[in-house]
């Protein structure tokens, strides 16, 4: 959205905080690194859900879903680190060992990927079915047959003011050709071969 022109630098800062800043924390403090990444991901998720910065709602949903996945990944890594330190705490969460946590994470990650893939397929199907509508006759809802052409083989002639209208008329031509497939439309910048004609 136009009012969120500043969102991209915020995204870059978030990525920097997730990848670079944890390296500044000492090597023996892996849990602190994970907690920092978890906090950044939770903050980013909360801001994203509140602002909805993208134009298309599917983009906002996909980004939120990815943020939730990141939070889930960091929670799993934190749980694995805690299980390394104390088996009793690991059993408190219902896992017997680190292997159980890893198996749980693998199943959850696979299902997350399946959901994201399903969202992508749904978006592709949705956008292809909601493309530019075809023009149809009002009486029987069939496409009009375009048989009447001029002697040069065009159904329509578009004209414009040379100083200002080329782009707009070219767009009109493209849209008409999408709405009426097979239409031959004359536009001077596309179809004029010889200016003396």
């Amino acid at each position: 959205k136009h009012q969120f022109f500043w969102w991209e630098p915020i995204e870059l800062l978030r990525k920097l905080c997730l990848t670079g800043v944890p390296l500044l924390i000492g090597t023996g403090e892996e849990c602190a690194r994970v907690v920092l990444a978890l906090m950044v991901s939770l903050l980013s998720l909360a801001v994203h859900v509140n602002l909805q910065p993208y134009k298309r709602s599917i983009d906002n949903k996909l980004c939120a879903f990815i943020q939730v996945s990141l939070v889930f990944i960091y929670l799993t890594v934190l749980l694995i680190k805690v299980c390394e330190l104390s088996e009793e705490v690991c059993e408190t969460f219902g896992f017997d060992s680190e292997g159980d946590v890893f198996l749980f994470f693998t199943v959850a990650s696979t299902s997350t990927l399946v959901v994201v893939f399903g969202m992508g397929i749904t978006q592709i199907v949705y956008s292809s079915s909601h493309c530019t509508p075809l023009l149809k006759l009002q009486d029987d809802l069939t496409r009009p047959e375009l048989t009447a052409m001029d002697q040069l083989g065009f159904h329509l002639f578009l004209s414009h003011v040379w100083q200002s209208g080329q782009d707009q008329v070219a767009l009109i031509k493209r849209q008409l050709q999408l709405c009426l497939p097979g239409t031959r439309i004359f536009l001077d910048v596309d179809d004029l071969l010889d200016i003396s004609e």
Side-chain angles (χ1 to χ4, degrees):
K1 298 176 185 174
H2 293 296
Q3 66 266 31
F4 296 116
F5 63 91
W6 46 266
W7 183 253
E8 191 63 31
I10 297 296
E11 272 294 295
L12 291 174
L13 184 65
R14 177 188 69 87
K15 291 174 183 177
L16 179 67
C17 288
L18 289 176
T19 56
V21 175
L23 296 176
L24 300 175
I25 299 174
T27 357
E29 301 292 328
E30 284 85 10
C31 284
R33 289 179 177 182
V34 176
V35 167
L36 174 67
L38 180 62
M39 292 301 160
V40 169
S41 295
L42 282 171
L43 178 66
S44 174
L45 174 64
V47 170
H48 177 79
V49 167
N50 284 328
L51 293 180
Q52 301 284 311
Y54 300 112
K55 283 183 182 178
R56 297 187 319 172
S57 66
I58 189 71
D59 293 336
N60 285 312
K61 290 175 187 173
L62 188 60
C63 187
F65 194 75
I66 290 169
Q67 294 289 343
V68 168
S69 299
L70 273 176
V71 168
F72 182 70
I73 288 170
Y74 290 127
L75 280 173
T76 305
V77 170
L78 186 62
L79 189 57
I80 288 173
K81 292 292 180 189
V82 167
C83 285
E84 285 177 0
L85 297 174
S86 170
E87 289 183 16
E88 296 159 0
V89 175
C90 192
E91 289 173 3
T92 305
F93 289 112
F95 300 106
D96 293 332
S97 66
E98 298 165 28
D100 291 346
V101 175
F102 182 74
L103 180 64
F104 175 73
F105 170 70
T106 304
V107 170
S109 296
T110 305
S111 59
T112 301
L113 285 174
V114 167
V115 169
V116 169
F117 185 72
M119 285 176 70
I121 295 295
T122 303
Q123 178 62 26
I124 290 170
V125 169
Y126 178 79
S127 61
S128 66
S129 66
H130 287 81
C131 59
T132 305
L134 297 177
L135 292 180
K136 297 180 180 179
L137 296 174
Q138 189 173 1
D139 296 337
D140 55 1
L141 297 177
T142 59
R143 284 180 36 196
E145 291 188 28
L146 303 171
T147 54
M149 286 198 226
D150 65 5
Q151 63 269 18
L152 297 174
F154 294 100
H155 296 103
L156 184 65
F157 175 82
L158 292 178
S159 183
H160 60 87
V161 176
W162 269 92
Q163 288 122 355
S164 62
Q166 280 182 319
D167 293 339
Q168 293 86 355
V169 176
L171 180 63
I172 291 170
K173 176 182 176 179
R174 304 297 178 261
Q175 291 298 320
L176 280 170
Q177 288 175 328
L178 287 173
C179 294
L180 284 170
T183 306
R184 297 223 40 234
I185 301 172
F186 180 88
L187 180 60
D188 53 4
V189 293
D190 294 339
D191 301 305
L192 191 61
L193 301 175
D194 185 5
I195 197 155
S196 64
E197 296 177 4

